[in-house]
């Protein structure tokens, strides 16, 4: 009950502070007198604590404080300048590594990149420096993405590429079926050239647009663990534990596993195995339209499967 009340209070606080600079400033300046629990008497002039300090102390608790902080900072120039510092960025980075990639934590980085719709370049550069430029932080907190120059083979058992081969192989049958647009019309993601009456002779992505194969497959990889728990070094559950199909990509010339190569201070290091197709990870963003196309199972059936698994777990 107490946790439910705390969540409700945070939602109310977020609503009354939304777009109200006076309320935001009032909240940022208010203090609470800390009572002496060893005495039954209230002593005036005792220790005080800013309300903002209480918010910062409760960030790890999934009860609304992280969301409240993000909303306050993204709409108040003064509070942004006071609190959006490297120590706070590093703290959220550490929470993501300890607690997993939770939306309430990830949204903080988005919230301090702009204030009142205006870009805060200093904060954007600070996030880039602290989270991306550090190779260890990048490896543990970011998704690695790469599209390999693969082409679908007409055979069901092989795939062809100038530089890479993929295991298991991709073939025509691995291409996804057309998806329904909100209008109800089916689309395969390609634009009919005849519908474009005028377009420049050269434009970005022309080779992909004109390719009969469409876009080359995009793969994603992250630092995962089959038995993931909070405060473990890996970012989240592994694809295997999430029941997501994975691929291994190797260089044809040597047969050596390559995955993707990232530059690190002028040198390169290799990432191996466990690549996941982008579609297999992102269909959950629009499950009603994409679940059947990507997984072969309807969304209602998928929900039923997971519901049954949860019931077994609870029992």
């Amino acid at each position: 009950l107490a946790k439910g009340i705390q969540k409700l209070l945070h939602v109310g606080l977020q609503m009354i502070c939304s777009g109200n600079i006076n309320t935001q400033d009032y909240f940022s300046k208010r203090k609470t007198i800390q009572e002496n629990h060893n005495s039954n008497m209230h002593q005036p002039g005792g220790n005080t604590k800013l309300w903002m300090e209480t918010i910062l102390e409760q960030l790890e608790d999934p009860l609304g404080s992280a969301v409240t902080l993000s909303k306050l900072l993204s709409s108040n120039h003064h509070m942004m300048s006071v609190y959006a510092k490297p120590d706070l960025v590093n703290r959220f980075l550490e929470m993501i590594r300890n607690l997993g990639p939770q939306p309430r934590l990830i949204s903080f980085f988005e919230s301090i990149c702009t204030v009142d719709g205006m870009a805060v370049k200093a904060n954007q550069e600070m996030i880039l420096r602290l989270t991306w430029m550090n190779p260890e932080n990048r490896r543990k907190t970011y998704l690695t993405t790469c599209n390999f120059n693969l082409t679908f083979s007409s055979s069901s058992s092989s795939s062809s590429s100038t530089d890479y081969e993929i295991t298991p192989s991709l073939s025509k049958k691995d291409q996804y079926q057309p998806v329904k647009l909100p209008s109800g019309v089916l689309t395969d993601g390609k634009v009919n050239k005849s519908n474009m009456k005028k377009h420049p002779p050269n434009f970005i992505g022309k080779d992909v647009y004109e390719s009969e194969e469409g876009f080359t497959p995009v793969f994603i990889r992250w630092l995962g663990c089959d038995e993931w728990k909070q405060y473990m070094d890996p970012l989240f559950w592994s694809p295997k534990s999430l029941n997501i199909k994975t691929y291994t990509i190797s260089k044809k010339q040597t047969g050596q596993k390559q995955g993707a190569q990232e530059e690190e201070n002028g040198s390169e290091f290799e990432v191996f195995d466990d690549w996941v197709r982008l579609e297999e990870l992102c269909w959950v963003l629009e499950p009603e339209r994409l679940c059947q196309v990507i997984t072969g199972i309807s969304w209602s059936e998928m929900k039923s499967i997971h519901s049954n698994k949860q019931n077994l777990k609870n029992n």
Side-chain angles (χ1 to χ4, degrees), residues 21-32 49-52 78-79 83:
I21 190 70
N22 292 327
T23 304
Q24 295 165 9
D25 288 339
Y26 175 83
F27 183 88
S28 69
K29 297 173 183 177
R30 290 294 297 172
K31 296 180 179 180
T32 300
K49 179 193 294 185
L50 285 168
W51 287 2
M52 284 296 294
H78 175 69
M79 295 178 71
Y83 293 101

Side-chain angles (χ1 to χ4, degrees), residues 15-26 72 75-76:
M15 293 180 69
I16 64 175
C17 288
S18 178
N20 192 326
I21 190 70
N22 292 327
T23 304
Q24 295 165 9
D25 288 339
Y26 175 83
L72 287 171
S75 57
N76 191 292

Side-chain angles (χ1 to χ4, degrees), residues 153-159 169-171 173:
S153 169
S154 58
S155 166
S156 61
S157 60
S158 63
S159 61
S169 61
L170 290 175
S171 65
K173 69 176 184 178

Side-chain angles (χ1 to χ4, degrees), residues 54-65:
T54 301
I55 293 288
L56 294 172
E57 288 176 357
Q58 298 175 353
L59 288 177
E60 285 200 14
D61 298 329
L63 302 176
S65 55

Side-chain angles (χ1 to χ4, degrees), residues 149-293:
N149 186 25
L150 298 165
T151 56
F152 285 107
S153 169
S154 58
S155 166
S156 61
S157 60
S158 63
S159 61
S160 61
S161 168
T162 305
D163 301 313
Y164 300 99
E165 59 184 8
I166 186 167
T167 308
S169 61
L170 290 175
S171 65
K172 287 284 186 182
K173 69 176 184 178
D174 293 304
Q175 297 190 66
Y176 300 112
Q177 298 301 309
V179 177
K180 271 190 178 181
L181 294 173
S183 63
V185 177
L186 290 172
T187 177
D188 59 1
K190 299 177 184 177
V191 179
N192 190 337
K193 295 180 184 179
S194 62
N195 293 336
M196 295 182 66
K197 297 180 180 179
K198 293 182 179 180
H199 60 79
N202 294 302
F203 50 89
I204 296 175
K206 180 180 179 181
D207 55 336
V208 176
Y209 171 74
E210 294 182 344
S211 170
E212 293 299 324
E213 303 289 348
F215 290 98
T216 55
V218 176
F219 295 86
I220 292 177
R221 190 181 188 277
W222 63 91
L223 188 64
C225 176
D226 291 347
E227 299 294 335
W228 182 81
K229 294 180 181 179
Q230 291 185 347
Y231 298 98
M232 292 181 68
D233 197 46
L235 175 65
F236 203 51
W237 297 94
S238 67
K240 176 183 176 182
S241 62
L242 296 173
N243 198 29
I244 300 176
K245 184 178 180 179
T246 61
Y247 298 85
T248 298
I249 297 174
S250 307
K251 267 197 172 179
K252 277 190 172 181
Q253 298 93 309
T254 62
Q256 182 180 5
K257 295 176 183 177
Q258 290 294 314
Q261 291 186 332
E262 301 181 38
E263 292 187 1
E264 178 185 355
N265 299 325
S267 62
E268 292 183 340
F269 65 95
E270 296 174 352
V271 183
F272 306 102
D273 294 333
D274 290 340
W275 288 95
V276 173
R277 287 194 66 173
L278 177 66
E279 295 89 345
E280 298 283 351
L281 192 65
C282 294
W283 66 263
V284 294
L285 298 176
E286 290 191 66
E288 292 84 358
R289 291 203 304 123
L290 301 177
C291 183
Q292 177 77 50
V293 175

